[in-house]
């Protein structure tokens, strides 16, 4: 029998977005609201801890920065697909978040005059990225976690709790279902409100910077409930993934002055972005690197991972050790290269989902009582291409907005009834999955999915490759129905967890690929060789993918972009 527990608010995901929301709710109330904090890994293992380079905010109006400039950079970076009211709300909030973290004790890197230091980042026309060396996410998470310790009476932790389903009745949220892995027990967590903060789906790619846990669970659960996912075809490829693991080498390395070099020793970015050079936005730098490699100016790498070089040597040992210690450690341990003495081999790597669960400016979805925040959501601040250091920022900003809105909502509402038959059906999905005994290996299916996404839905796309990828994904979905789950217990059953995750990855990969096939233009991170131009007349619109449960596939619709202050112009850097 599943354990049924009542809470007021359930936060699914304890990365930056989830923790910031939890803190806001705890501070907004005097303990009258009871929060469940749910994570499939231990809190501090959420992917957010690996954020490296920093968090963007306007702090130096006296030195020439402004909200208008941050908003303009973000909108231009987004290739005009961002909703401009969302961007405005975002940039105005960010300075408060930086100063709050400062007050809560984060060790921001400082300037010699004692002020909070900021470094240049791609696509930002002002040095506005706040950082704590190159371990920003780790320190942000630590600070939120620490501050949350003041409110331990207001929340219950469910660490290593794998959520499998959401119970909804009459279009309102009722409960979250999942497995406590250490206990091997199934739980039904009832609540008035749910915040989905489950991060990205980028593990659909094999060569990626994201954690093993970034499998789009929240996005896919929301999608199958009937909530649309938005702009999923826009996957960010970060220019500098370490060869061969794909571990991220932060953009901060270029922000501190690093060069990109081809096999002729040239700083090739002068051909593609003469003004911004290495600090052009990520979509442009990634395409430039891939062009160099395709035209024979790269280096031959292992497993077909040809690469170019990121050269930091001219920065000197002192600066590398002070500003980029993690990068140095990663390059030494995972590539055998000390950046003080040798350039680092890198190539573009799948990094971030610009798309996500469709939400309004307060983070609300179309189902009452369900919000989404962070990388799982799409507000949309980033449009077709996110600027570096705007994501941790978005997580903090919408953690705050959503936390505030949810606290207000939960104070007014009563706990609604739990429809037993719907809850039972969700629980049955776990036992059915556990019983799976077919001939197909989920691990093999995942490998084939990864290979397909890496090879056919990458930096450069075209009709033929996307059609082939979609065909393969549909075949893999069919094979998935006949998988086996070998471990039959419920305690720490990673086999079972992986089976659920794979379903989520397959569904989201299908949406990404079909969305990319339909979008016959090039915008931001979505580049079609067969449609190399941006087409505002036909495609200045958001993609919405709804789940068609009868056909088990997405149905596509579109909605306008809120272009309120700045008209789209050609993007030049
Ligand atoms: C290596 C790396 C470096 C980065 N560096 C930067 C940077 O310097 N600046 C910047 O702005 N951005 C950066 N980003 C992007 C940014 O870090 C992320 O977008 C952001 O941290 C995502 O936070 P989140 O709160 O949305 O989710 P995450 O931190 O990904 O957390 C997701 C949470 O959901 C939980 N969860 C998921 N599924 C389930 C389930 N089924 N059941 C229970 N729990 C579940 C997980 O356990 C986890 O707690 C970086 C990203 C990577 C990968």
């Amino acid at each position: 029998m599943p354990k049924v527990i009542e809470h007021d608010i359930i936060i699914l995901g304890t990365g930056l977005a989830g923790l910031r929301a939890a803190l806001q709710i705890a501070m907004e109330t005097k303990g009258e609201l009871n929060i469940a904090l749910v994570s499939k890994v231990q809190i501090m293992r959420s992917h957010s801890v690996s954020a490296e380079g920093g968090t963007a905010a306007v702090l130096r109006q006296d030195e020439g920065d402004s909200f208008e400039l941050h908003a303009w950079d973000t909108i231009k970076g987004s290739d005009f697909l961002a909703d401009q009211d969302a961007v405005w709300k975002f940039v105005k909030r960010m300075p408060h978040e930086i100063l709050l973290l400062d007050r809560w004790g984060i060790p921001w890197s400082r300037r010699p005059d004692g002020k909070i230091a900021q470094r240049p980042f791609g696509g930002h026309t002002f040095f506005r990225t706040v950082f704590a060396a190159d371990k920003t996410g780790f320190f942000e998470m630590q600070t939120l976690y620490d501050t949350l310790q003041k409110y331990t009476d207001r929340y219950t932790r469910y660490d290593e709790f794998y959520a499998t389903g959401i119970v909804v009745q009459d279009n309102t949220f009722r409960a979250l279902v999942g497995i406590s892995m250490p206990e091997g027990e199934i739980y039904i967590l009832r609540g008035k409100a749910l915040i989905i903060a489950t991060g990205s789906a980028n593990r659909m790619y094999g060569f990626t910077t994201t954690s093993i846990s970034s499998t789009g669970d929240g996005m896919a659960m929301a999608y199958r409930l009937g909530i649309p996912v938005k702009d999923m075809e826009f996957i960010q490829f970060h220019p500098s993934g370490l060869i061969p693991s794909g571990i991220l080498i932060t953009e901060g390395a270029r922000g501190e002055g690093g060069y990109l070099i081809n096999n002729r020793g040239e700083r090739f970015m002068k051909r593609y972005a003469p003004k911004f050079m290495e600090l052009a936005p990520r979509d442009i730098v990634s395409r430039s690197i891939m062009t160099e490699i395709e035209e024979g100016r790269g280096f031959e790498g292992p497993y077909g991972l040809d690469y170019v070089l990121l050269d930091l040597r001219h920065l000197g040992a002192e600066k590398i050790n002070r500003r980029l210690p993690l990068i140095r450690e990663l390059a030494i341990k995972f590539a055998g290269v000390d950046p003080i003495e040798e350039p680092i081999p890198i190539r573009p790597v799948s990094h971030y989902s610009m798309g996500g669960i469709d939400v309004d400016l307060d983070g609300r979805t179309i189902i009452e009582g369900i919000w989404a925040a962070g990388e799982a959501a799409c507000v949309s601040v980033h449009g077709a291409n996110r600027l570096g250091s705007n994501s941790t920022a978005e997580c903090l900003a919408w953690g705050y907005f959503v936390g505030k809105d949810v606290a207000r909502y939960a104070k007014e509402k009563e706990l609604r009834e739990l429809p037993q038959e719907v809850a039972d059906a969700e629980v049955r999905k776990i036992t059915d999955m556990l019983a799976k005994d077919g001939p197909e290996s989920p691990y093999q299916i995942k490998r084939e999915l990864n290979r397909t996404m890496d090879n056919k839905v990458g930096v450069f796309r075209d009709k033929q490759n996307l059609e082939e990828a979609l065909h393969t994904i549909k075949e893999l979905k069919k094979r998935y129905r006949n998988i086996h789950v070998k471990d039959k217990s419920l305690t720490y059953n990673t086999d079972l967890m992986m089976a659920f995750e794979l379903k989520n990855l397959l569904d989201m990969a299908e949406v990404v690929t079909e969305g990319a096939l339909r979008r016959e233009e090039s915008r931001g991170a979505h580049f079609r060789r067969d449609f190399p131009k941006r087409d505002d007349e036909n495609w200045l619109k958001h993609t919405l993918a709804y789940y068609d449960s009868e056909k088990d596939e997405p149905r596509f619709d579109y909605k306008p972009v809120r272009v309120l202050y700045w008209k789209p112009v050609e993007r030049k850097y």
Side-chain angles (χ1 to χ4, degrees):
M1 280 297 281
K3 288 190 180 165
V4 183
I5 301 192
E6 290 178 9
H7 292 281
D8 293 297
I9 297 166
I10 298 166
I11 301 180
L12 178 57
T14 60
L16 280 172
L19 283 190
R20 182 65 188 87
L23 194 50
Q24 194 57 36
I25 296 165
M27 292 189 310
E28 294 271 328
T29 59
K30 296 193 179 60
E32 69 272 29
L33 291 180
N34 160 321
I35 308 166
L37 215 46
V38 181
S39 170
K40 68 178 170 182
V41 294
Q42 288 164 2
I43 286 193
M44 293 298 286
R45 293 191 176 227
S46 303
H47 184 64
S48 291
V49 287
S50 44
E52 297 173 0
T55 300
V58 173
L59 297 183
R60 294 278 105 79
Q61 306 220 38
D62 53 334
E63 292 172 23
D65 202 6
S66 68
F67 293 128
E68 287 79 2
L69 212 51
H70 189 187
W72 166 246
D73 290 343
T74 302
I75 290 164
K76 184 178 168 196
S78 83
D79 222 344
F80 298 92
L81 195 73
D83 284 325
Q84 300 188 359
D85 47 359
V87 174
W88 191 245
K89 185 171 177 167
F90 164 68
V91 299
K92 296 275 282 192
R93 178 66 207 164
M94 274 322 295
H96 302 285
E97 292 298 318
I98 298 296
L99 296 178
L100 270 173
L101 283 168
D102 194 50
R103 188 171 314 157
W104 291 330
I106 197 170
W108 291 131
S109 293
R110 301 262 162 191
R111 314 199 302 198
D113 66 3
K115 290 184 176 164
I116 294 172
Q118 289 172 290
R119 59 165 54 126
F121 243 68
H124 292 278
T125 52
F126 193 85
F127 51 95
R128 65 166 73 87
T129 298
V130 177
F131 57 98
D134 55 358
K135 303 177 184 179
T136 309
F138 172 78
F139 286 116
E140 289 177 341
M141 285 286 289
Q142 194 71 53
T143 305
L144 293 176
Y145 176 75
D146 245 29
T147 312
L148 208 54
Q149 300 311 304
K150 289 189 203 160
Y151 305 102
T152 42
D153 57 327
R154 296 172 197 189
Y155 66 88
T156 308
R157 269 172 71 168
Y158 294 87
D159 281 25
E160 301 189 308
F161 180 109
Y162 187 77
T164 54
I166 299 168
V167 181
V168 166
Q169 176 86 337
D170 303 331
N171 205 47
T172 33
F173 170 69
R174 302 301 166 98
L176 181 76
V177 176
I179 310 156
S180 162
M181 295 197 288
E183 290 171 74
E185 294 268 4
I186 298 176
Y187 277 73
I188 300 177
L189 302 180
R190 297 179 59 191
K192 302 171 188 172
L194 170 72
I195 303 172
I196 302 176
T198 43
S200 92
N202 271 29
R203 276 281 154 181
M204 67 179 69
Y205 289 85
F207 192 63
T208 175
T209 62
T210 52
S211 304
I212 296 286
S213 56
S214 300
T215 51
D217 299 347
M219 290 176 185
M221 279 193 267
Y223 165 73
R224 289 194 294 265
L225 274 179
I227 302 173
V229 285
K230 184 164 75 194
D231 294 338
M232 290 294 288
E233 62 270 33
F234 297 99
I235 298 285
Q236 177 158 82
F237 292 86
H238 193 292
S240 48
L242 188 63
I243 303 293
S245 60
I247 292 174
L248 181 75
I249 298 298
T250 174
E251 188 167 308
R254 281 170 286 132
E256 296 293 346
Y259 299 153
L260 290 171
I261 307 285
N262 63 16
N263 68 9
R264 298 179 185 166
E266 286 173 311
R267 276 181 77 187
F268 56 83
M269 281 309 297
K270 63 179 185 248
R271 267 198 286 285
Y272 307 94
K275 214 163 114 204
F276 279 62
M277 295 292 284
E278 282 86 354
L279 288 176
R282 291 176 177 173
D283 56 337
I284 292 174
V285 181
S286 286
R287 282 196 288 277
S288 308
I289 296 174
M290 289 312 292
T291 307
E292 291 296 305
I293 292 174
E294 286 184 358
E295 293 179 359
R297 292 186 294 279
F299 298 84
E300 201 176 313
Y303 318 111
L305 295 170
D306 291 354
Y307 60 86
V308 296
L309 296 174
L310 172 62
D311 196 350
L312 305 182
R313 288 173 298 181
H314 56 287
L315 301 181
E318 192 277 329
K319 191 167 189 183
I320 291 174
N321 284 328
R322 182 164 42 86
R323 289 286 177 86
L324 302 164
L326 178 62
I327 289 321
R328 181 171 178 224
E329 187 185 332
L330 291 172
I332 292 173
K333 285 194 179 149
F334 293 94
V337 165
D338 183 347
I340 293 175
E341 282 153 18
E342 278 177 90
I344 311 172
I346 53 100
R347 69 179 267 135
V349 57
S350 150
H351 179 60
Y352 182 81
S353 315
M354 260 75 74
I357 300 167
D358 181 34
V359 292
D360 69 11
L361 288 177
D362 290 320
R364 293 183 181 216
T365 69
I366 55 169
I367 292 187
E368 190 179 338
I370 302 186
W371 280 253
E375 195 169 338
C378 179
V379 177
S380 123
V381 169
H382 314 299
N385 173 61
R386 169 175 77 83
L387 294 189
S389 71
N390 265 355
S391 170
T392 47
E394 186 206 349
C395 290
L396 294 167
W398 264 271
Y400 163 78
F401 294 132
V402 166
K404 230 178 152 50
D405 199 37
V406 168
R408 188 169 44 227
Y409 175 90
K411 278 186 216 167
E412 287 167 6
K413 303 283 174 185
E414 297 293 320
L415 192 68
R416 294 186 191 83
E417 225 176 288
L418 179 71
Q420 201 53 52
E421 64 293 356
V422 192
D424 288 347
E426 274 308 326
V427 171
R428 220 163 24 243
K429 284 183 193 160
I430 301 176
T431 43
D432 286 354
M433 187 69 92
L434 205 54
K436 289 236 173 222
D437 227 352
E440 295 284 354
S441 153
Y443 299 94
Q444 185 56 31
I445 293 177
K446 182 162 181 204
R447 254 192 303 276
E448 289 179 35
L449 173 68
N450 285 165
R451 202 177 309 137
T452 303
M453 297 306 288
D454 283 343
N455 294 337
K456 302 202 160 147
V457 197
V459 173
F460 291 119
R461 302 165 171 188
D462 61 42
K463 183 164 189 268
Q464 190 187 339
N465 275 302
L466 290 170
E467 276 178 351
E468 284 171 13
L470 189 60
H471 177 76
T472 306
I473 294 165
K474 286 187 186 293
E475 287 299 310
L476 293 176
K477 279 179 71 173
K478 274 189 213 146
R479 282 169 54 191
Y480 176 85
R481 291 189 202 128
N482 297 314
I483 57 164
H484 50 247
V485 173
K486 280 197 175 152
D487 181 348
K488 300 291 180 193
S489 85
L490 274 177
T491 312
Y492 276 121
N493 188 342
T494 47
D495 221 20
L496 176 67
M497 186 167 99
M498 191 277 180
F500 277 108
E501 289 175 342
L502 180 58
K503 167 88 178 122
N504 298 331
L505 287 174
L506 286 166
D507 280 351
M508 291 301 96
E510 185 179 26
V511 170
V512 167
T513 307
E514 191 172 343
L517 182 60
R518 284 167 179 267
R519 188 173 278 275
E520 297 187 329
E521 66 155 354
S522 290
R523 183 184 297 275
H526 171 68
F527 192 91
R528 288 280 301 256
R529 286 190 208 266
D530 41 357
F531 298 95
K533 290 258 178 306
R534 193 176 83 199
D535 175 1
D536 286 338
E537 208 168 302
N538 296 303
W539 288 102
L540 182 56
K541 57 188 179 187
H542 295 294
T543 305
L544 294 179
Y546 290 86
Y547 181 57
D548 181 332
S549 56
E550 265 166 40
K551 294 191 184 143
D552 184 31
E553 64 181 26
R555 171 176 65 75
F556 284 84
D557 198 358
Y558 295 90
K559 73 174 178 184
V561 178
R562 294 195 296 275
V563 180
L564 301 174
Y565 318 115
W566 285 284
K567 286 218 174 72
V569 292
E570 195 194 339
R571 244 170 115 225
K572 280 199 194 132
Y573 288 93

